[in-house]
Amino acid sequence: MEVELAEVRDFLARHAPFDALPGAVLARLPRRCTLRYARRGTVVLDAGDHGDGLYLVRSGTVEVRDETGDLVDRAGTGGAFGMSSLLEHRPTRYRCTAVEDTLLLVLEPGAFDELCQAHPDFATFYAATHHARLSRAIHNLQRATTGSTALSTRVGDLVTRAPVTAALTATVGDAASAMSEAGVSSILVVEGDDLRGIVTDRDLRNRVLAAGLDRDRPVREIMTADPVTLTADALAFEALLEMVSRDIHHLPVVDDAGRPLGLVTTTDLVRLENANPVYLAAEIGGRSTLAGVVEEARSIPAALGQLLERDVSAADVARVATALGDAVRRRVVTLVEADLGPPPAAYSWVVLGSAAREEEGLSADQDHALVLGAAVDGAGEAWFAELAERVTTALEDAGWPRCQGGVMATNPRWRLTVEDWRRQFDRWSHEPDPDAVLHSAIFHDLRHLAGDRRLAEQVHGYSVSTASSLLLGHLSRQALSMRPPLGFFRGLVLERHGDHRDTLDIKRPISAVVQLARVHALRAGSPALSTRARLDAAAEARIIDPGTAADLLDALELMSYLRLHHQATQARLGHPPDNHVAPADLTERQRRHLKDAFEIVRSAQQHLSRHLPPGFE
């Protein structure tokens, strides 16, 4: 008996994701598994069944087919099936048949749930596998390949049942029982007709079981209050954006009065289309090695190219690009930290520039830094230096070049404590030499990515509050220097020599809008990060005219749209994406609109020049 248990343990240890579990955890699992033999042709698990647990193939092969009979997966030795029922708490939609004599290990449901609760990477691995099978099933059904129909689906049309709800006065136990009885993985918390919060399976695992919370405690103590919602008329693409950028899997749908109508889940969106950023983000999060993350990251340009083919706006593509980039960066940081061991001090890994503004394109490089919770000694500094180098190298392999200016956490200058960052911003604000102005512009775009969020928020908040009129003057002058390539008679000014002859650098006017928004938001004292949010804040504070803000956003959208399409074409041809657009490749209408956009930028710059602080006229 002990020999058999040891063999089961050794088998599990050879296959992901069990190979990443601690030895003590792995040693207990064999006693929670049962052996099962299936002759060739046996239906082990049929559509509509709940199953007995997680099925692991010890030897043999099992085919997984969808409702139409099409093959979506073939599980060989070490493969698994049955996770859809466990993850969704509903009957499986697949028929799983042994295509040769097969020996199975069946891990009991309780053990699976405990592993998901205690080891998030274990849960992510099987969630990604589940999403991959859904994606292949959708492909077999020949749903919309361009996504134009799928992405324009109203989220109200995705709601298939009335919401399962719990009163705000309910207990944790009441909510859990209601979820179990309804066979759902989330419940909406309401007060009368008003939505107050949401509770998911993950909340019950992390905030109740893991915390040892009593089931008689009020559900309001564990719910996510005031959750993000969409109205029934919103498009599926809007739901996709919210889920990817916020790393959530359930999105309440409400009517115009805010009353809950139901829920949309990531599974609902994956069903709509196989080339889905939600699926890609899940695949990235499910990878257990840096090489695996790098492999998935290389699919990002193609996924973004498909969005562009559907004529999705540049702003939305940039948000998806940033969200997918964040998924890669977070996973890389997590894997490297796990390999290095516990950090010597709390830290926040922050992203800078376009990633911080959620405006990444296809040619973004690396811009990041570290905010430390406390000063570290030699050994601690070596730990953070190794973290920075490994993460930077992995991101470089994944397609993000190193910053040529060295604005990365690999540079000791950009691994500082909160207090040191505050002193740095003070120096930039009150002694703004050219380098200080450049760095101030970069580091005002700072967003938390991984670690302790509070550290990044302290630094970013201070950077806004400490911006002096002297610094604002220098930043304004920098914004004025980014002249659009537009001649006196509205002719496009092209490069005359070199590799980029007869092209224009479209990044320059885009950067001008970004810098104008940054300056105006700082003048308004706004902590906003995205260019849109900054211009909105400046307009609301009457720093700039609302019409000017709207015009600048339109100009930014057009310029970014043309740049992204240019870069997507380069990526498709195997060329490194750049910012040099050839007017000859544009239609006459596009060239005319581009000139209009440049004129809007130039006009906004002229307006700023008339309102420079004293000494900067």
Side-chain angles (χ1 to χ4, degrees), residues 234-291:
L235 301 182
F237 185 74
E238 296 176 65
L240 181 154
L241 281 175
E242 294 291 353
M243 291 182 180
V244 173
S245 61
R246 298 176 185 272
D247 189 26
I248 58 177
H249 304 282
H250 304 80
L251 196 62
V253 179
V254 299
D255 62 18
D256 292 338
R259 294 184 294 263
L261 300 174
L263 276 167
V264 172
T265 68
T266 52
T267 298
D268 295 325
L269 296 182
V270 172
R271 286 174 185 161
L272 280 178
E273 112 174 76
N274 58 339
N276 196 308
V278 173
Y279 158 65
L280 182 53
E283 286 286 275
I284 291 168
R287 291 293 185 162
S288 58
T289 66
L290 291 178

Tab-separated table of all heavy atoms in Angstrom, residues 234-291:
chain	number	residue	atom	x	y	z
A	234	ALA	N	-24.407	48.187	-22.945
A	234	ALA	CA	-22.960	48.212	-23.179
A	234	ALA	C	-22.568	47.037	-24.079
A	234	ALA	O	-23.254	46.016	-24.147
A	234	ALA	CB	-22.215	48.135	-21.853
A	235	LEU	N	-21.460	47.198	-24.777
A	235	LEU	CA	-20.999	46.166	-25.693
A	235	LEU	C	-20.119	45.150	-24.980
A	235	LEU	O	-19.489	45.441	-23.953
A	235	LEU	CB	-20.219	46.796	-26.849
A	235	LEU	CG	-20.984	47.813	-27.700
A	235	LEU	CD1	-20.100	48.304	-28.837
A	235	LEU	CD2	-22.263	47.205	-28.246
A	236	ALA	N	-20.053	43.956	-25.561
A	236	ALA	CA	-19.210	42.905	-24.990
A	236	ALA	C	-17.766	43.370	-24.903
A	236	ALA	O	-17.034	42.996	-23.981
A	236	ALA	CB	-19.309	41.637	-25.832
A	237	PHE	N	-17.341	44.185	-25.871
A	237	PHE	CA	-15.962	44.660	-25.828
A	237	PHE	C	-15.699	45.513	-24.591
A	237	PHE	O	-14.614	45.463	-24.013
A	237	PHE	CB	-15.629	45.456	-27.092
A	237	PHE	CG	-14.181	45.864	-27.157
A	237	PHE	CD1	-13.208	44.926	-27.454
A	237	PHE	CD2	-13.790	47.156	-26.895
A	237	PHE	CE1	-11.880	45.279	-27.491
A	237	PHE	CE2	-12.464	47.518	-26.931
A	237	PHE	CZ	-11.496	46.582	-27.242
A	238	GLU	N	-16.693	46.300	-24.182
A	238	GLU	CA	-16.517	47.105	-22.969
A	238	GLU	C	-16.357	46.202	-21.751
A	238	GLU	O	-15.545	46.479	-20.860
A	238	GLU	CB	-17.713	48.040	-22.795
A	238	GLU	CG	-17.870	49.073	-23.895
A	238	GLU	CD	-19.115	49.912	-23.716
A	238	GLU	OE1	-19.200	50.657	-22.719
A	238	GLU	OE2	-20.024	49.825	-24.564
A	239	ALA	N	-17.132	45.124	-21.705
A	239	ALA	CA	-16.985	44.165	-20.611
A	239	ALA	C	-15.609	43.529	-20.637
A	239	ALA	O	-14.954	43.350	-19.595
A	239	ALA	CB	-18.074	43.092	-20.702
A	240	LEU	N	-15.145	43.184	-21.831
A	240	LEU	CA	-13.817	42.591	-21.986
A	240	LEU	C	-12.755	43.529	-21.421
A	240	LEU	O	-11.863	43.110	-20.670
A	240	LEU	CB	-13.569	42.308	-23.470
A	240	LEU	CG	-12.255	41.664	-23.900
A	240	LEU	CD1	-12.471	40.911	-25.201
A	240	LEU	CD2	-11.176	42.725	-24.131
A	241	LEU	N	-12.835	44.816	-21.776
A	241	LEU	CA	-11.856	45.781	-21.302
A	241	LEU	C	-11.840	45.866	-19.779
A	241	LEU	O	-10.774	45.878	-19.152
A	241	LEU	CB	-12.153	47.165	-21.883
A	241	LEU	CG	-11.708	47.433	-23.322
A	241	LEU	CD1	-12.209	48.801	-23.756
A	241	LEU	CD2	-10.192	47.375	-23.435
A	242	GLU	N	-13.021	45.951	-19.191
A	242	GLU	CA	-13.093	46.071	-17.738
A	242	GLU	C	-12.497	44.846	-17.058
A	242	GLU	O	-11.747	44.956	-16.084
A	242	GLU	CB	-14.546	46.259	-17.294
A	242	GLU	CG	-15.174	47.571	-17.735
A	242	GLU	CD	-14.568	48.781	-17.032
A	242	GLU	OE1	-13.750	48.608	-16.109
A	242	GLU	OE2	-14.887	49.906	-17.439
A	243	MET	N	-12.807	43.659	-17.566
A	243	MET	CA	-12.331	42.435	-16.927
A	243	MET	C	-10.822	42.269	-17.060
A	243	MET	O	-10.131	41.910	-16.101
A	243	MET	CB	-13.051	41.219	-17.508
A	243	MET	CG	-14.523	41.147	-17.127
A	243	MET	SD	-15.291	39.657	-17.797
A	243	MET	CE	-16.963	39.851	-17.204
A	244	VAL	N	-10.295	42.530	-18.250
A	244	VAL	CA	-8.863	42.366	-18.458
A	244	VAL	C	-8.083	43.391	-17.647
A	244	VAL	O	-7.108	43.066	-16.968
A	244	VAL	CB	-8.511	42.480	-19.953
A	244	VAL	CG1	-7.002	42.482	-20.153
A	244	VAL	CG2	-9.109	41.311	-20.720
A	245	SER	N	-8.492	44.656	-17.701
A	245	SER	CA	-7.717	45.706	-17.040
A	245	SER	C	-7.814	45.644	-15.522
A	245	SER	O	-6.880	46.035	-14.819
A	245	SER	CB	-8.180	47.087	-17.522
A	245	SER	OG	-9.536	47.307	-17.214
A	246	ARG	N	-8.939	45.116	-14.994
A	246	ARG	CA	-9.117	45.072	-13.544
A	246	ARG	C	-8.860	43.692	-12.949
A	246	ARG	O	-8.950	43.508	-11.742
A	246	ARG	CB	-10.536	45.524	-13.167
A	246	ARG	CG	-10.853	46.952	-13.568
A	246	ARG	CD	-12.301	47.311	-13.266
A	246	ARG	NE	-12.655	48.616	-13.733
A	246	ARG	CZ	-12.495	49.747	-13.030
A	246	ARG	NH1	-11.985	49.682	-11.821
A	246	ARG	NH2	-12.845	50.914	-13.545
A	247	ASP	N	-8.555	42.713	-13.813
A	247	ASP	CA	-8.294	41.338	-13.365
A	247	ASP	C	-9.472	40.812	-12.547
A	247	ASP	O	-9.323	40.320	-11.435
A	247	ASP	CB	-7.002	41.266	-12.552
A	247	ASP	CG	-6.593	39.820	-12.264
A	247	ASP	OD1	-6.971	38.937	-13.045
A	247	ASP	OD2	-5.914	39.589	-11.245
A	248	ILE	N	-10.685	40.929	-13.109
A	248	ILE	CA	-11.880	40.398	-12.466
A	248	ILE	C	-12.549	39.415	-13.421
A	248	ILE	O	-12.276	39.420	-14.629
A	248	ILE	CB	-12.874	41.513	-12.062
A	248	ILE	CG1	-13.285	42.348	-13.295
A	248	ILE	CG2	-12.281	42.397	-10.981
A	248	ILE	CD1	-14.315	43.421	-12.992
A	249	HIS	N	-13.414	38.565	-12.883
A	249	HIS	CA	-14.023	37.509	-13.689
A	249	HIS	C	-15.549	37.557	-13.676
A	249	HIS	O	-16.185	36.773	-14.364
A	249	HIS	CB	-13.552	36.141	-13.188
A	249	HIS	CG	-12.061	36.009	-13.171
A	249	HIS	ND1	-11.325	35.776	-14.297
A	249	HIS	CD2	-11.163	36.120	-12.155
A	249	HIS	CE1	-10.041	35.715	-13.987
A	249	HIS	NE2	-9.928	35.931	-12.695
A	250	HIS	N	-16.132	38.466	-12.887
A	250	HIS	CA	-17.587	38.608	-12.809
A	250	HIS	C	-17.929	40.090	-12.905
A	250	HIS	O	-17.343	40.914	-12.200
A	250	HIS	CB	-18.134	38.051	-11.484
A	250	HIS	CG	-17.775	36.625	-11.232
A	250	HIS	ND1	-16.539	36.250	-10.745
A	250	HIS	CD2	-18.491	35.485	-11.386
A	250	HIS	CE1	-16.514	34.921	-10.617
A	250	HIS	NE2	-17.681	34.444	-10.993
A	251	LEU	N	-18.887	40.432	-13.754
A	251	LEU	CA	-19.258	41.827	-13.946
A	251	LEU	C	-20.779	41.959	-13.891
A	251	LEU	O	-21.486	41.433	-14.764
A	251	LEU	CB	-18.741	42.309	-15.305
A	251	LEU	CG	-18.689	43.813	-15.544
A	251	LEU	CD1	-17.739	44.478	-14.558
A	251	LEU	CD2	-18.222	44.088	-16.967
A	252	PRO	N	-21.311	42.622	-12.860
A	252	PRO	CA	-22.763	42.792	-12.781
A	252	PRO	C	-23.301	43.670	-13.914
A	252	PRO	O	-22.650	44.638	-14.326
A	252	PRO	CB	-22.952	43.485	-11.425
A	252	PRO	CG	-21.711	43.193	-10.653
A	252	PRO	CD	-20.628	43.145	-11.674
A	253	VAL	N	-24.468	43.306	-14.412
A	253	VAL	CA	-25.157	44.085	-15.435
A	253	VAL	C	-26.379	44.717	-14.774
A	253	VAL	O	-27.148	44.031	-14.084
A	253	VAL	CB	-25.591	43.191	-16.614
A	253	VAL	CG1	-26.332	44.010	-17.662
A	253	VAL	CG2	-24.371	42.517	-17.231
A	254	VAL	N	-26.541	46.022	-14.962
A	254	VAL	CA	-27.624	46.748	-14.290
A	254	VAL	C	-28.462	47.492	-15.314
A	254	VAL	O	-28.035	47.710	-16.457
A	254	VAL	CB	-27.060	47.752	-13.253
A	254	VAL	CG1	-26.271	47.025	-12.168
A	254	VAL	CG2	-26.167	48.796	-13.935
A	255	ASP	N	-29.684	47.882	-14.911
A	255	ASP	CA	-30.513	48.700	-15.789
A	255	ASP	C	-30.151	50.168	-15.594
A	255	ASP	O	-29.228	50.507	-14.835
A	255	ASP	CB	-31.999	48.438	-15.545
A	255	ASP	CG	-32.448	48.798	-14.130
A	255	ASP	OD1	-31.728	49.545	-13.440
A	255	ASP	OD2	-33.529	48.333	-13.713
A	256	ASP	N	-30.875	51.039	-16.268
A	256	ASP	CA	-30.532	52.463	-16.216
A	256	ASP	C	-30.680	53.046	-14.822
A	256	ASP	O	-30.073	54.079	-14.497
A	256	ASP	CB	-31.401	53.248	-17.199
A	256	ASP	CG	-31.072	52.914	-18.651
A	256	ASP	OD1	-29.947	52.438	-18.896
A	256	ASP	OD2	-31.947	53.112	-19.516
A	257	ALA	N	-31.483	52.407	-13.978
A	257	ALA	CA	-31.665	52.879	-12.605
A	257	ALA	C	-30.671	52.253	-11.639
A	257	ALA	O	-30.724	52.525	-10.441
A	257	ALA	CB	-33.093	52.583	-12.148
A	258	GLY	N	-29.790	51.411	-12.157
A	258	GLY	CA	-28.789	50.783	-11.303
A	258	GLY	C	-29.241	49.490	-10.658
A	258	GLY	O	-28.527	48.936	-9.824
A	259	ARG	N	-30.418	48.985	-11.035
A	259	ARG	CA	-30.916	47.729	-10.468
A	259	ARG	C	-30.259	46.546	-11.183
A	259	ARG	O	-30.178	46.533	-12.418
A	259	ARG	CB	-32.432	47.648	-10.594
A	259	ARG	CG	-33.187	48.675	-9.762
A	259	ARG	CD	-34.695	48.454	-9.869
A	259	ARG	NE	-35.165	48.718	-11.219
A	259	ARG	CZ	-35.709	49.866	-11.626
A	259	ARG	NH1	-35.854	50.863	-10.755
A	259	ARG	NH2	-36.124	50.017	-12.868
A	260	PRO	N	-29.794	45.543	-10.431
A	260	PRO	CA	-29.079	44.425	-11.064
A	260	PRO	C	-29.987	43.565	-11.933
A	260	PRO	O	-31.099	43.205	-11.536
A	260	PRO	CB	-28.532	43.636	-9.866
A	260	PRO	CG	-29.410	44.004	-8.714
A	260	PRO	CD	-29.838	45.420	-8.965
A	261	LEU	N	-29.495	43.245	-13.123
A	261	LEU	CA	-30.212	42.381	-14.057
A	261	LEU	C	-29.595	40.989	-14.140
A	261	LEU	O	-30.271	40.033	-14.504
A	261	LEU	CB	-30.209	43.004	-15.456
A	261	LEU	CG	-30.858	44.380	-15.605
A	261	LEU	CD1	-30.637	44.902	-17.015
A	261	LEU	CD2	-32.339	44.305	-15.284
A	262	GLY	N	-28.316	40.889	-13.830
A	262	GLY	CA	-27.626	39.607	-13.922
A	262	GLY	C	-26.126	39.808	-13.919
A	262	GLY	O	-25.624	40.868	-13.521
A	263	LEU	N	-25.413	38.792	-14.389
A	263	LEU	CA	-23.949	38.812	-14.382
A	263	LEU	C	-23.412	38.374	-15.735
A	263	LEU	O	-24.006	37.537	-16.423
A	263	LEU	CB	-23.400	37.864	-13.320
A	263	LEU	CG	-23.289	38.364	-11.881
A	263	LEU	CD1	-23.032	37.188	-10.956
A	263	LEU	CD2	-22.148	39.367	-11.753
A	264	VAL	N	-22.272	38.939	-16.103
A	264	VAL	CA	-21.494	38.452	-17.240
A	264	VAL	C	-20.155	37.972	-16.681
A	264	VAL	O	-19.562	38.627	-15.820
A	264	VAL	CB	-21.271	39.566	-18.282
A	264	VAL	CG1	-20.296	39.102	-19.360
A	264	VAL	CG2	-22.584	39.960	-18.921
A	265	THR	N	-19.692	36.817	-17.151
A	265	THR	CA	-18.437	36.247	-16.671
A	265	THR	C	-17.435	36.147	-17.803
A	265	THR	O	-17.769	36.292	-18.988
A	265	THR	CB	-18.661	34.840	-16.084
A	265	THR	OG1	-19.014	33.945	-17.154
A	265	THR	CG2	-19.755	34.855	-15.028
A	266	THR	N	-16.181	35.897	-17.449
A	266	THR	CA	-15.148	35.709	-18.466
A	266	THR	C	-15.503	34.552	-19.381
A	266	THR	O	-15.221	34.591	-20.583
A	266	THR	CB	-13.781	35.447	-17.809
A	266	THR	OG1	-13.918	34.381	-16.859
A	266	THR	CG2	-13.266	36.668	-17.103
A	267	THR	N	-16.119	33.511	-18.836
A	267	THR	CA	-16.514	32.375	-19.669
A	267	THR	C	-17.509	32.807	-20.736
A	267	THR	O	-17.441	32.361	-21.883
A	267	THR	CB	-17.126	31.262	-18.805
A	267	THR	OG1	-16.144	30.804	-17.872
A	267	THR	CG2	-17.573	30.091	-19.659
A	268	ASP	N	-18.445	33.707	-20.383
A	268	ASP	CA	-19.403	34.207	-21.371
A	268	ASP	C	-18.684	34.887	-22.537
A	268	ASP	O	-19.075	34.733	-23.698
A	268	ASP	CB	-20.364	35.219	-20.723
A	268	ASP	CG	-21.247	34.590	-19.663
A	268	ASP	OD1	-21.631	33.418	-19.846
A	268	ASP	OD2	-21.542	35.264	-18.663
A	269	LEU	N	-17.627	35.641	-22.217
A	269	LEU	CA	-16.901	36.351	-23.263
A	269	LEU	C	-16.056	35.401	-24.093
A	269	LEU	O	-15.952	35.549	-25.313
A	269	LEU	CB	-16.021	37.441	-22.646
A	269	LEU	CG	-16.773	38.568	-21.938
A	269	LEU	CD1	-15.799	39.596	-21.405
A	269	LEU	CD2	-17.765	39.220	-22.875
A	270	VAL	N	-15.433	34.429	-23.435
A	270	VAL	CA	-14.618	33.469	-24.173
A	270	VAL	C	-15.485	32.691	-25.146
A	270	VAL	O	-15.063	32.314	-26.236
A	270	VAL	CB	-13.891	32.517	-23.201
A	270	VAL	CG1	-13.195	31.392	-23.937
A	270	VAL	CG2	-12.859	33.294	-22.385
A	271	ARG	N	-16.745	32.451	-24.772
A	271	ARG	CA	-17.642	31.746	-25.682
A	271	ARG	C	-17.894	32.547	-26.953
A	271	ARG	O	-18.207	32.001	-27.997
A	271	ARG	CB	-18.982	31.495	-24.989
A	271	ARG	CG	-18.946	30.391	-23.944
A	271	ARG	CD	-20.260	30.325	-23.214
A	271	ARG	NE	-20.207	29.366	-22.129
A	271	ARG	CZ	-21.052	29.351	-21.116
A	271	ARG	NH1	-22.020	30.246	-21.058
A	271	ARG	NH2	-20.943	28.453	-20.157
A	272	LEU	N	-17.781	33.874	-26.851
A	272	LEU	CA	-18.069	34.702	-28.009
A	272	LEU	C	-17.007	34.580	-29.090
A	272	LEU	O	-17.290	34.705	-30.268
A	272	LEU	CB	-18.167	36.177	-27.589
A	272	LEU	CG	-19.488	36.618	-26.961
A	272	LEU	CD1	-19.392	38.068	-26.573
A	272	LEU	CD2	-20.637	36.396	-27.927
A	273	GLU	N	-15.763	34.351	-28.674
A	273	GLU	CA	-14.730	34.363	-29.690
A	273	GLU	C	-13.460	33.711	-29.196
A	273	GLU	O	-13.127	33.722	-28.033
A	273	GLU	CB	-14.497	35.801	-30.135
A	273	GLU	CG	-13.189	36.402	-29.780
A	273	GLU	CD	-13.074	37.750	-30.420
A	273	GLU	OE1	-13.699	38.679	-29.914
A	273	GLU	OE2	-12.354	37.843	-31.401
A	274	ASN	N	-12.744	33.092	-30.127
A	274	ASN	CA	-11.574	32.311	-29.728
A	274	ASN	C	-10.329	33.143	-29.600
A	274	ASN	O	-9.409	32.746	-28.903
A	274	ASN	CB	-11.338	31.154	-30.712
A	274	ASN	CG	-11.138	31.630	-32.127
A	274	ASN	OD1	-11.532	32.733	-32.480
A	274	ASN	ND2	-10.538	30.783	-32.939
A	275	ALA	N	-10.216	34.269	-30.274
A	275	ALA	CA	-9.013	35.102	-30.180
A	275	ALA	C	-9.285	36.200	-29.167
A	275	ALA	O	-9.379	37.367	-29.500
A	275	ALA	CB	-8.670	35.701	-31.534
A	276	ASN	N	-9.433	35.835	-27.914
A	276	ASN	CA	-9.926	36.746	-26.894
A	276	ASN	C	-8.815	37.134	-25.927
A	276	ASN	O	-8.143	36.275	-25.377
A	276	ASN	CB	-11.054	36.041	-26.127
A	276	ASN	CG	-11.886	37.019	-25.332
A	276	ASN	OD1	-11.335	37.803	-24.574
A	276	ASN	ND2	-13.187	36.955	-25.506
A	277	PRO	N	-8.603	38.447	-25.687
A	277	PRO	CA	-7.590	38.848	-24.726
A	277	PRO	C	-7.823	38.306	-23.318
A	277	PRO	O	-6.875	38.132	-22.564
A	277	PRO	CB	-7.696	40.385	-24.748
A	277	PRO	CG	-8.192	40.700	-26.118
A	277	PRO	CD	-9.160	39.589	-26.434
A	278	VAL	N	-9.087	38.052	-22.956
A	278	VAL	CA	-9.349	37.446	-21.650
A	278	VAL	C	-8.691	36.067	-21.581
A	278	VAL	O	-8.048	35.704	-20.600
A	278	VAL	CB	-10.865	37.331	-21.402
A	278	VAL	CG1	-11.144	36.542	-20.132
A	278	VAL	CG2	-11.499	38.712	-21.294
A	279	TYR	N	-8.868	35.304	-22.655
A	279	TYR	CA	-8.253	33.978	-22.712
A	279	TYR	C	-6.735	34.088	-22.677
A	279	TYR	O	-6.057	33.347	-21.961
A	279	TYR	CB	-8.707	33.266	-23.992
A	279	TYR	CG	-7.796	32.168	-24.456
A	279	TYR	CD1	-7.609	31.021	-23.697
A	279	TYR	CD2	-7.113	32.289	-25.661
A	279	TYR	CE1	-6.773	30.019	-24.125
A	279	TYR	CE2	-6.264	31.289	-26.087
A	279	TYR	CZ	-6.092	30.159	-25.321
A	279	TYR	OH	-5.253	29.181	-25.735
A	280	LEU	N	-6.167	35.024	-23.441
A	280	LEU	CA	-4.713	35.175	-23.474
A	280	LEU	C	-4.179	35.579	-22.108
A	280	LEU	O	-3.143	35.067	-21.660
A	280	LEU	CB	-4.322	36.210	-24.532
A	280	LEU	CG	-2.818	36.457	-24.716
A	280	LEU	CD1	-2.063	35.156	-24.958
A	280	LEU	CD2	-2.577	37.434	-25.861
A	281	ALA	N	-4.884	36.475	-21.419
A	281	ALA	CA	-4.456	36.875	-20.077
A	281	ALA	C	-4.481	35.683	-19.122
A	281	ALA	O	-3.596	35.526	-18.283
A	281	ALA	CB	-5.356	37.995	-19.546
A	282	ALA	N	-5.509	34.820	-19.252
A	282	ALA	CA	-5.581	33.628	-18.405
A	282	ALA	C	-4.438	32.677	-18.716
A	282	ALA	O	-3.853	32.065	-17.814
A	282	ALA	CB	-6.923	32.928	-18.611
A	283	GLU	N	-4.103	32.546	-19.997
A	283	GLU	CA	-2.980	31.683	-20.377
A	283	GLU	C	-1.680	32.200	-19.780
A	283	GLU	O	-0.856	31.428	-19.284
A	283	GLU	CB	-2.871	31.622	-21.900
A	283	GLU	CG	-3.942	30.776	-22.563
A	283	GLU	CD	-3.681	29.288	-22.363
A	283	GLU	OE1	-2.927	28.697	-23.139
A	283	GLU	OE2	-4.244	28.724	-21.404
A	284	ILE	N	-1.472	33.503	-19.835
A	284	ILE	CA	-0.264	34.099	-19.273
A	284	ILE	C	-0.199	33.830	-17.773
A	284	ILE	O	0.827	33.413	-17.238
A	284	ILE	CB	-0.233	35.613	-19.550
A	284	ILE	CG1	-0.036	35.871	-21.052
A	284	ILE	CG2	0.878	36.295	-18.746
A	284	ILE	CD1	-0.286	37.307	-21.473
A	285	GLY	N	-1.324	34.075	-17.083
A	285	GLY	CA	-1.354	33.869	-15.638
A	285	GLY	C	-1.184	32.423	-15.235
A	285	GLY	O	-0.790	32.132	-14.112
A	286	GLY	N	-1.488	31.485	-16.143
A	286	GLY	CA	-1.386	30.074	-15.812
A	286	GLY	C	-0.023	29.472	-16.046
A	286	GLY	O	0.226	28.324	-15.672
A	287	ARG	N	0.885	30.227	-16.646
A	287	ARG	CA	2.220	29.690	-16.914
A	287	ARG	C	3.048	29.631	-15.634
A	287	ARG	O	3.062	30.572	-14.843
A	287	ARG	CB	2.932	30.545	-17.957
A	287	ARG	CG	2.316	30.428	-19.343
A	287	ARG	CD	2.511	29.032	-19.911
A	287	ARG	NE	2.048	28.916	-21.279
A	287	ARG	CZ	2.410	27.940	-22.105
A	287	ARG	NH1	3.229	27.005	-21.669
A	287	ARG	NH2	1.940	27.886	-23.331
A	288	SER	N	3.747	28.522	-15.457
A	288	SER	CA	4.518	28.309	-14.222
A	288	SER	C	6.003	28.525	-14.410
A	288	SER	O	6.783	28.355	-13.470
A	288	SER	CB	4.278	26.889	-13.691
A	288	SER	OG	4.650	25.927	-14.668
A	289	THR	N	6.435	28.896	-15.623
A	289	THR	CA	7.847	29.170	-15.879
A	289	THR	C	7.981	30.476	-16.650
A	289	THR	O	7.061	30.896	-17.365
A	289	THR	CB	8.503	28.045	-16.698
A	289	THR	OG1	7.905	28.015	-18.015
A	289	THR	CG2	8.326	26.695	-16.022
A	290	LEU	N	9.155	31.102	-16.544
A	290	LEU	CA	9.397	32.328	-17.298
A	290	LEU	C	9.351	32.064	-18.798
A	290	LEU	O	8.828	32.876	-19.565
A	290	LEU	CB	10.757	32.920	-16.910
A	290	LEU	CG	10.870	33.483	-15.491
A	290	LEU	CD1	12.285	33.983	-15.230
A	290	LEU	CD2	9.870	34.615	-15.271
A	291	ALA	N	9.882	30.927	-19.204
A	291	ALA	CA	9.856	30.581	-20.632
A	291	ALA	C	8.428	30.479	-21.134
A	291	ALA	O	8.114	30.895	-22.260
A	291	ALA	CB	10.603	29.267	-20.864
